[in-house]
Amino acid sequence: MKINTVVVFDLDDTLYKEIDFLKSAYNEISLKISKVVYVESSAIYNQMLACFYNKENVFESIIKKYNLSISINELLDIYRNHKPEIKLSKDRVEVLNELKCRGIVLGLLTDGRSKQQRSKIEALKLNTWISEILISEEFGSEKPNANNYKYFENLFGKAKYYYVGDNVKKDFITPNKLNWTTICLKDSGQNIHKQNDSLLGKEYLAIYTVSNFKRILDLIFN
């Protein structure tokens, strides 16, 4: 069967908001701490979130505040390896459903640790739509390494390729060189890693930038 179109997505702050993973982890950590210090977990959670937004070292601050014997590494371990309470928004589900219904092959290309990224993928049920997943720790290189993108070309062959992401520092420079159509999802103000393209050359920028996720369908089918 000839494949005509392949759409490859980034994960964090593209298919879901990474801040939701952070909040899920903070909730898990606050529950653990509350059992030790006998303070409501909601109060600890709100303190952690306030530290984050104030750009403080969250774990260092919370350990100091409650004089905890737990280490920063132990809290990091919970953060990275907890079972996240996250889900796809309605517009993401609608776009993924439409693409799959139209026979478009969907891929996922994400940087990060295998266990952490796999737990997100499972929570979001992305295997329902996505046929091929590449995670940097498993593959051995990170974006913008060309091999990460060429993996999909080698797998699916000659086709029209799209990459949908959000990180202007690393997501688009390579697929631009490979003549993929690149689409940047504009930061709504919630992204963990802010989009600052003022110091970047145009080769780093996506061909298209969209604020509405469903606009992706117009770019692919029109």
Side-chain angles (χ1 to χ4, degrees), residues 16-208:
Y16 85 107
K17 288 296 182 187
E18 191 174 0
I19 191 70
D20 292 339
F21 179 85
L22 178 143
K23 289 177 178 179
S24 173
Y26 283 5
N27 184 61
E28 186 88 5
I29 291 167
S30 65
L31 287 168
K32 182 179 179 69
I33 293 173
S34 71
K35 294 175 182 177
V36 177
V37 299
Y38 304 105
V39 174
E40 286 288 338
S41 63
S42 58
I44 299 169
Y45 171 84
N46 288 331
Q47 288 159 2
M48 293 177 71
L49 212 52
C51 288
F52 171 77
Y53 285 122
N54 289 332
K55 302 188 185 305
E56 300 172 28
N57 186 314
V58 177
F59 297 154
E60 188 177 276
S61 298
I62 214 74
I63 288 170
K64 184 177 180 181
K65 178 175 178 63
Y66 291 107
N67 194 28
L68 299 171
S69 59
I70 194 169
S71 70
I72 289 176
N73 283 338
E74 287 175 278
L75 295 181
L76 272 172
D77 188 61
I78 298 171
Y79 183 96
R80 292 168 177 163
N81 299 314
H82 83 289
K83 186 176 181 180
E85 293 288 335
I86 55 176
K87 64 180 182 178
L88 293 177
S89 58
K90 183 181 177 183
D91 60 341
R92 268 61 171 177
V93 172
E94 289 176 350
V95 168
L96 292 172
N97 279 340
E98 183 69 16
L99 291 171
K100 187 173 182 180
C101 282
R102 295 212 194 185
I104 304 299
V105 172
L106 302 182
L108 183 73
L109 171 54
T110 177
D111 287 345
R113 294 174 177 82
S114 176
K115 186 173 181 180
Q116 181 173 319
Q117 299 305 85
R118 288 283 174 189
S119 70
K120 296 172 185 176
I121 290 163
E122 182 179 354
L124 297 169
K125 300 180 173 60
L126 289 176
N127 285 309
T128 304
W129 301 275
I130 292 173
S131 60
E132 193 63 34
I133 294 168
L134 189 155
I135 299 172
S136 64
E137 186 181 66
E138 298 173 0
F139 190 68
S141 59
E142 297 183 345
K143 295 178 287 186
N145 192 308
N147 290 332
N148 293 50
Y149 297 86
K150 287 181 177 178
Y151 170 82
F152 292 94
E153 293 186 342
N154 294 333
L155 183 66
F156 297 118
K158 186 172 174 140
K160 175 71 174 172
Y161 286 85
Y162 292 80
Y163 190 72
V164 183
D166 71 286
N167 193 324
V168 291
K169 292 181 181 177
K170 63 178 182 178
D171 276 351
F172 310 115
I173 183 169
T174 300
N176 282 340
K177 291 177 181 176
L178 295 174
N179 293 317
W180 291 25
T181 299
T182 50
I183 303 171
C184 177
L185 187 65
K186 189 171 179 60
D187 180 5
S188 63
Q190 296 180 311
N191 283 20
I192 294 284
H193 303 290
K194 301 304 178 186
Q195 290 173 341
N196 183 3
D197 57 13
S198 60
L199 300 176
L200 297 173
K202 66 178 183 179
E203 68 271 18
Y204 283 87
L205 306 181
I207 298 170
Y208 301 102

